[in-house]
Amino acid sequence: MIGLDNKVKLMQAAIDLMAEKGYKGVSTKEIAAAAGVSEMTLFRNFANKLNLLEKAVEHFHYSMEMTRIFQEEVVWDMRADLLLISEMYHKVMERNRKLFLIVLADNDLAGIRQEAQKHPRILLELLTDYFKEMQRQHKMIDTDAETQAIMFMWMHYGAFISSLYTAEAVTKVTREQFAESSVDLFVRALSR
């Protein structure tokens, strides 16, 4: 069994090559060579190219980092917490830009897209629980916590997706300005 570093190298090589050539345009031999390991090593650890991509999506997605933020860094100040959450969300989404392009570009990868839905579901649960606790602490108005959580998520996902396929910006508003403005909007609307 190869070490974690080599597994990460294989996943990263697969992401880089697939982003450039498409999922179908890359062979396992090319991925192994780019990672500096044998093709047999790739097969021993991932069995095939599809499983390698599935493991990459699982490894690089955001649910573990978001869970850590909610467990360790939340200070129960809505503005500070939502800014932190949006900052981490955009950081991870930007880091995973190539993965999104690969998985969204190929209809044969619908199973991976479906499996990846567990990550936004985890974030939705974390954010919903956060809003419920803010209500319990009388720091947030009584409203449906899940609805507010999904609105916050969709707003930030939309901001990410709007820049996914093009380098040309739709607006001159920076991501940081957008994050601050969106968080301020939520805080004004939801705070007691």
Side-chain angles (χ1 to χ4, degrees), residues 20-191:
E20 180 185 331
K21 299 179 176 185
Y23 174 77
K24 293 176 184 139
V26 171
S27 70
T28 52
K29 184 176 249 174
E30 288 175 279
I31 295 167
V37 300
S38 71
E39 189 177 23
M40 186 53 66
T41 299
L42 184 151
F43 289 135
R44 256 195 315 263
N45 288 277
F46 295 105
N48 57 51
K49 184 169 65 170
L50 183 62
N51 190 49
L52 171 57
L53 183 59
E54 287 172 349
K55 297 296 183 196
V57 168
E58 181 65 28
H59 179 80
F60 290 112
H61 225 296
Y62 60 72
S63 61
M64 287 192 324
E65 288 163 293
M66 285 300 192
T67 300
R68 185 192 58 74
I69 282 178
F70 280 91
Q71 291 174 346
E72 299 173 10
E73 296 188 38
V74 162
V75 295
W76 304 107
D77 173 278
M78 192 180 304
R79 186 174 195 284
D81 294 338
L82 292 181
L83 279 172
L84 176 66
I85 292 161
S86 72
E87 179 183 322
M88 177 57 78
Y89 178 83
H90 286 284
K91 177 181 171 187
V92 173
M93 295 295 274
E94 191 58 39
R95 181 186 72 206
N96 292 332
R97 174 179 284 276
K98 289 179 181 178
L99 266 176
F100 278 94
L101 291 170
I102 294 163
V103 174
L104 293 175
D106 192 322
N107 287 333
D108 291 339
L109 301 176
I112 292 178
R113 284 194 298 274
Q114 188 64 30
E115 180 63 24
Q117 287 301 308
K118 71 181 177 183
H119 298 284
R121 285 188 191 106
I122 290 169
L123 178 56
L124 177 61
E125 182 180 326
L126 291 166
L127 201 50
T128 299
D129 290 347
Y130 171 82
F131 284 148
K132 285 179 179 177
E133 178 59 24
M134 290 295 280
Q135 289 171 335
R136 195 191 67 69
Q137 292 182 23
H138 303 289
K139 294 180 178 181
M140 183 175 155
I141 64 169
D142 290 331
T143 184
D144 185 73
E146 184 175 349
T147 300
Q148 300 311 314
I150 199 66
M151 284 175 47
F152 188 80
M153 288 174 58
W154 281 345
M155 186 169 43
H156 286 273
Y157 180 72
F160 170 74
I161 287 293
S162 72
S163 68
L164 183 63
Y165 291 102
T166 179
E168 184 179 320
V170 174
T171 179
K172 291 180 182 174
V173 175
T174 66
R175 186 176 51 83
E176 291 77 15
Q177 290 170 319
F178 162 77
E180 290 226 7
S181 183
S182 68
V183 166
D184 287 343
L185 182 67
F186 263 76
V187 170
R188 278 194 307 275
L190 300 178
S191 292

